[in-house]
Amino acid sequence: EIVLTQSPGTLSLSPGERATLSCWASQSVSSSYLAWYLQKPGQAPRLLLYGASSRATGIPDRFSGSGSGTDFTLTISSLEPEDFAVYYCQQYGSSPYTFGQGTKLEIK
Amino acid sequence: QVQLQESDPGLVKPSETLSLTCTVSGGSVSSGSYFWSWIRQPPGKGLEWIGYAFHSGSTNYNPSLKSRVTISLDTSKNQFSLKLSSVTAADTAVYYCARGYWYFDLWGRGTLITVSS
């Protein structure tokens, strides 16, 4: 089973700032089969990116992803108030599909 | 637009079987492109993939739950279901149904299942 570790656990930033979230895998994720989700309190997660860097339908271009192998990054270029939430990475390169423990992005 | 809605059994007693249904509206579970999955989230914790079913009848389960899980499709009702047997307090969680291609592009709102006597 591939274990995903997200860093940092909590990130405190202000609107307008740039956010960089990391996701490390315990073994290589094949074909960059990595997705990112955003979850707000009391809501289901929402898909942001898949294939490490492809934006899902309706996701604004301030969200971008990069990485391959065991090291992946989600970047939010300029934070909007609605971006403050918990972010999860998920690998789907090998079963069982696993999620990271999450990064909480909070307003500074 | 496609929407997913979980049933809401609420409380399940220890050692019993948890049964959930996800109703698909605006789309079809018979669609050849999608896997139909269940994912859970214990209160205050992260996400755990439980398994999926495909319209062909194939299934794939998380090994950590495989001995207790059954996921199936009911094309006549346009639903898919989850059965988790021999539940304990550790199975208390919000259960989500989701559609996807191994990643999950559409989720239900989730239903909180509490295991308690």
Side-chain angles (χ1 to χ4, degrees):
Chain A
E1 172 176 322
I2 295 178
V3 176
L4 299 179
T5 302
Q6 293 186 240
S7 178
T10 301
L11 184 59
S12 299
L13 294 170
S14 300
E17 290 194 293
R18 181 184 186 90
T20 302
L21 287 68
S22 295
C23 177
W24 284 283
S26 61
Q27 53 189 285
S28 184
V29 177
S30 61
S31 304
S32 295
Y33 285 159
L34 189 108
W36 289 93
Y37 302 84
L38 169 160
Q39 185 178 35
K40 295 182 180 180
Q43 296 184 17
R46 178 162 61 113
L47 177 68
L48 296 173
L49 303 171
Y50 60 94
S53 61
S54 298
R55 278 186 296 275
T57 303
I59 301 303
D61 61 6
R62 65 179 182 272
F63 292 91
S64 63
S66 62
S68 63
T70 61
D71 190 356
F72 297 89
T73 300
L74 169 68
T75 301
I76 310 170
S77 59
S78 179
L79 286 165
E80 298 287 342
E82 61 267 27
D83 299 338
F84 292 91
V86 179
Y87 290 80
Y88 293 96
C89 57
Q90 177 233 338
Q91 67 80 23
Y92 51 100
S94 66
S95 183
Y97 312 124
T98 51
F99 293 86
Q101 84 281 12
T103 289
K104 182 179 181 180
L105 179 55
E106 64 178 24
I107 298 177
K108 188 174 181 180
Chain B
Q1 89 222 37
V2 183
Q3 292 184 316
L4 307 179
Q5 179 64 58
E6 301 90 349
S7 59
D8 185 17
L11 191 67
V12 182
K13 290 182 167 53
S15 80
E16 294 189 342
T17 295
L18 179 165
S19 295
L20 285 172
T21 298
C22 183
T23 300
V24 180
S25 58
S28 173
V29 295
S30 300
S31 167
S33 302
Y34 297 113
F35 296 84
W36 303 94
S37 287
W38 289 94
I39 296 154
R40 69 181 184 179
Q41 184 172 35
K45 296 187 177 181
L47 299 158
E48 179 181 33
W49 172 73
I50 298 170
Y52 70 64
F54 194 51
H55 72 92
S56 65
S58 65
T59 56
N60 186 15
Y61 301 135
N62 192 322
S64 67
L65 297 168
K66 187 173 184 177
S67 64
R68 299 194 290 133
V69 169
T70 303
I71 298 175
S72 58
L73 303 185
D74 185 338
T75 56
S76 66
K77 295 181 179 179
N78 212 30
Q79 295 175 334
F80 61 107
S81 65
L82 167 70
K83 293 188 186 299
L84 181 66
S85 64
S86 305
V87 298
T88 70
D91 295 310
T92 293
V94 175
Y95 285 75
Y96 296 100
C97 59
R99 180 191 79 173
Y101 305 93
W102 303 283
Y103 59 86
F104 310 105
D105 70 339
L106 182 66
W107 296 62
R109 296 181 66 177
T111 184
L112 174 62
I113 302 299
T114 302
V115 179
S116 175
S117 55

